[in-house]
């Protein structure tokens, strides 16, 4: 069974641009979560989707948005990029509709903002 | 808000020895789950072990075991017979049994295994 796939793996953007990251969950998994990982702040929750509905959102500005499609694939978008948005963005999927926390992570998309 | 604290930024262990990573958490909830996740260099994070708060018995997965002290809000990870492949960043994490669907992570402990 294929794991969680994130694309692109690496990308470089400049301040003010916008970026879209994609995540394909494990087949059959309907919950997709996004986390931002930085050396200073560690791992921070961005949002979680289940069956195309956002169930929870972390404390990030409105420049960070996401969505989930009917096939459970998810995208996140960051508009008006700032230097501080440079990070590893991790996507994770899970099967359960309820909250068990057993997540399967992708390898991440490493974003560098210049 | 829940918080998770890992007080050891770095730890090292000799191959075949035992090491314990510490984690404390703060919550007012009674229904929650605790986890240890492992993130090897440049590889994806994987779940090592999981503990339900309502279970008194400590979880064990092969060479990995936890010491869950609910009253003290402590959740340490013991790795026995350490192997070179255990070298990684280890994250302690908490999730509410309610409906917030988010994992709260500690800052991590970088474990080095010396041959």
């Amino acid at each position: 069974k294929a794991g969680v796939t994130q694309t692109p793996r690496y990308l470089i953007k400049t301040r003010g641009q916008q970026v879209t990251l994609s995540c394909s969950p494990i087949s059959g998994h309907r919950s997709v979560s996004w986390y931002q990982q930085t050396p200073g702040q560690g791992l921070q929750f961005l949002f979680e989707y289940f069956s195309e509905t956002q169930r929870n959102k972390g404390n990030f500005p409105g420049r960070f948005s996401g969505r989930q499609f009917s096939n459970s694939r998810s995208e996140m978008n960051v508009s008006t990029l700032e230097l501080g948005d440079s990070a590893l963005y991790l996507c994770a999927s899970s099967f359960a509709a309820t909250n068990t926390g057993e997540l399967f992570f992708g390898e991440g998309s490493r974003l560098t903002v210049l | 808000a829940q918080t998770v604290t890992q007080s050891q930024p770095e730890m090292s262990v000799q191959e075949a020895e035992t090491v314990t990573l510490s984690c404390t958490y703060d919550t007012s909830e009674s229904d929650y789950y605790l986890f240890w996740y492992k993130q090897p260099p440049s590889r994806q994070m994987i779940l090592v072990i999981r503990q339900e708060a309502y279970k008194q018995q400590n979880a064990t997965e092969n060479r990995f075991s936890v010491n869950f002290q609910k009253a003290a809000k402590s959740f340490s990870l013991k790795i026995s017979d350490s192997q070179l492949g255990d070298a990684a960043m280890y994250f302690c994490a908490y999730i509410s049994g309610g409906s917030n669907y988010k994992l709260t992570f500690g800052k991590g402990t970088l474990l080095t295994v010396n041959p």
Side-chain angles (χ1 to χ4, degrees), chain B residues 25-62:
Chain B
Y25 61 96
D26 187 26
T27 184
S28 59
E29 299 175 330
S30 58
D31 180 20
Y32 55 89
Y33 302 83
L34 295 165
F35 307 84
W36 280 96
Y37 277 88
K38 168 186 176 182
Q39 187 177 39
S42 301
R43 294 179 63 185
Q44 69 255 57
M45 186 140 29
I46 58 173
L47 177 65
V48 175
I49 199 165
R50 171 179 182 260
Q51 174 80 43
E52 295 91 334
Y54 63 85
K55 288 188 177 179
Q56 293 187 338
Q57 186 173 6
N58 290 323
T60 299
E61 288 288 341
N62 301 313

Side-chain angles (χ1 to χ4, degrees), chain A:
Chain A
K1 189 184 256 190
V4 177
T5 304
Q6 292 189 244
T7 56
R9 292 288 315 282
Y10 302 90
L11 65 166
I12 300 174
K13 294 285 187 178
T14 57
R15 280 179 298 173
Q17 287 187 311
Q18 66 122 22
V19 66
T20 298
L21 309 178
S22 178
C23 173
S24 293
I26 292 172
S27 178
H29 287 194
R30 294 164 65 190
S31 170
V32 174
S33 305
W34 289 89
Y35 290 81
Q36 181 196 64
Q37 186 176 19
T38 60
Q41 298 298 315
L43 284 148
Q44 293 186 286
F45 172 78
L46 281 156
F47 20 66
E48 189 266 355
Y49 290 88
F50 182 84
S51 292
E52 302 179 68
T53 298
Q54 184 184 89
R55 297 196 291 191
N56 198 7
K57 188 178 191 303
N59 295 323
F60 280 81
R63 301 185 296 107
F64 291 81
S65 63
R67 59 179 175 169
Q68 186 181 34
F69 302 95
S70 59
N71 61 358
S72 294
R73 190 177 70 84
S74 177
E75 289 182 347
M76 68 162 282
N77 184 277
V78 187
S79 63
T80 318
L81 284 166
E82 301 177 358
L83 295 178
D85 297 334
S86 294
L88 181 65
Y89 290 88
L90 296 173
C91 169
S93 73
S94 70
F95 173 76
T98 55
N99 202 7
T100 66
E102 294 186 61
L103 303 183
F104 294 82
F105 284 84
E107 293 185 318
S109 292
R110 185 166 295 281
L111 170 65
T112 302
V113 182
L114 302 177

